Amino acid sequence: QLEGVNLHINLEITPDAWAEIKFNGKQGDIIQGKGKGNLVIQSDIKGSLHMSGNYELLEGNYNFSVYDVVRKKFKILPGSTI
């Protein structure tokens, strides 16, 4: 946890960057893909983290898992947003 620092970051994300969001890395519950968008990331001195903005996926996959019972890979359609 980052404490004692104020951060304010503006990001312009291009399709050149590969993005990954891990909901549960141990179970493999991950969204991966390429896209574009603008994000703002802020952190205050107490360690609170805030992220806002739009991200449009141009290609990618969602590896969905529920414990070791269900595992399914989904293709993300172009134009999907987070």
Side-chain angles (χ1 to χ4, degrees):
Q1 183 173 350
L2 182 62
E3 292 183 4
V5 176
N6 283 321
L7 290 176
H8 183 97
I9 301 170
N10 292 311
L11 297 173
E12 180 181 348
I13 303 168
T14 66
D16 302 320
W18 185 260
E20 188 172 271
I21 300 172
K22 292 184 179 182
F23 295 104
N24 186 333
K26 291 181 183 179
Q27 297 294 324
D29 203 10
I30 301 170
I31 292 177
Q32 300 171 318
K34 290 183 178 185
K36 60 184 179 178
N38 294 295
L39 297 176
V40 176
I41 301 172
Q42 296 175 303
S43 177
D44 63 24
I45 59 173
K46 296 179 183 177
S48 294
L49 182 67
H50 303 278
M51 185 170 24
S52 61
N54 295 310
Y55 184 74
E56 177 185 353
L57 287 150
L58 302 175
E59 65 175 282
N61 299 299
Y62 176 30
N63 297 319
F64 176 75
S65 66
V66 179
Y67 303 103
D68 284 327
V69 177
V70 177
R71 289 185 181 274
K72 177 81 174 155
K73 186 174 187 175
F74 294 93
K75 182 177 180 180
I76 297 174
L77 297 175
S80 299
T81 59
I82 298 175

